[in-house]
Amino acid sequence: MNLRRKKWNTARASRKDERVKPDYSLYLVTDRALARGRPLVELVREAVAGGVTCVQLREKQLGTREMLAEARALLAVLRPAGVPLIINDRVDVALAAGADGVHVGQQDMPLADVRRLTPRGWIVGVSAESLADAEQAARGGADYIGVSPVFATPTKTDTALPLGLAGLRAIRAAVQTPLVAIGGIHPDNAAAVLRAGADGLAVVSAILAAENPRQTAADLRRIIQETQA
Amino acid sequence: MNLRRKKWNTARASRKDERVKPDYSLYLVTDRALARGRPLVELVREAVAGGVTCVQLREKQLGTREMLAEARALLAVLRPAGVPLIINDRVDVALAAGADGVHVGQQDMPLADVRRLTPRGWIVGVSAESLADAEQAARGGADYIGVSPVFATPTKTDTALPLGLAGLRAIRAAVQTPLVAIGGIHPDNAAAVLRAGADGLAVVSAILAAENPRQTAADLRRIIQETQA
């Protein structure tokens, strides 16, 4: 199986002249609460084997020390696969672990502050819950924009109203920045989300709560390849 | 009133040859939930006017953006007074705000990782809930050790059993690092805590929940000066 995945390499990314663009097309966001007791590292390993191209560690309930340990454990799996690890919210954890970037929401550290604290070549993604958020993130130089939520989702309870495919299309028309759609995405609606302008599909429960995360990742991967062909 | 307070200055602290030792003697730890609706910045301003020598921003419930804004607001009050601001747990918030240091508990980022991420001259304090914790923090080069809790306290619910004055004395006998005692400290037991070997008294509710935080700080300040005389 050809994953058509460009390998991510932080050292190369930091030299602007040969910057490799990260592949956001199948973007897994973690939530240990959905793993039903299975170790997160094993689920991520399976998901990557199925075709996940980018992983975000998002564990709001973990203490800092435990989150740092989890980040390091994930990096041991992701580095050999050439898949970048992005840390939600915690710039300090990302720096200490040697992750590839950080994802910040509208209540997290402002993008400009994140850039001042982090090295060149770092991936910084920003959540947008509206067209105005997305335009601001694009102006600020976000590497990608997490469009959230596209559909209603059970895995986050503090989110805004769903933007829908129409909202995603409006953001696509307004900004050039890569868009990663999140919220209620699964194999049955994945193609429609991509056709509405998303560069990537972010999933949480569709993979982490699946009986067979590798198979579900491979299903999504196939849809992405067919839609982008 | 002579506060006998050496002014803290980050720029000087970073030059080792003229390093000013921070004054931990009256160390205020914040908790907005105890402020009964009064703005935290105003309470801190009053507490510093009463003689507080060091402030730690500890707000576990705040989002990152709000915590960063609070840190900046506190710095605007503390810088002119020469009082250092230390941030609980969040190295990234401390760096972004330009605070003077960070305080880490046993579940937060390990001391060695914090040192790698932060500039020379930064204050890094470590919580110790046992003699073994304190010895490890001292070996690791903590700038001060927060001995926690000395007495039972209503303001933290996740703490270990109180160490008591005997536990504090045992730690004092074992390490040279400055000790800041926390947990249930108020004007009636402050002198006993200092005589047991504490270099500083950390207080939360005794000042933040007081009718007159400035007066309570001044009362504690006077006890410290009388005991250390």
Side-chain angles (χ1 to χ4, degrees), chain B residues 142-160:
Chain B
D143 289 297
Y144 73 88
I145 296 171
V147 177
S148 166
V150 175
F151 304 117
T153 166
T155 62
K156 280 189 87 178
T157 52
D158 60 343
T159 49

Side-chain angles (χ1 to χ4, degrees), chain B residues 3 5 28 30 39-52 55 73-81 83 207-208 212-215 217:
Chain B
L3 295 181
R5 191 162 62 200
L28 176 65
T30 74
L40 185 60
V41 166
E42 293 312 313
L43 291 183
V44 168
R45 191 194 307 274
E46 286 295 299
V48 166
V52 158
V55 174
L74 289 180
L75 279 169
V77 167
L78 297 176
R79 279 279 181 270
V83 170
I207 287 180
L208 288 184
N212 187 336
R214 182 177 187 155
Q215 184 58 52

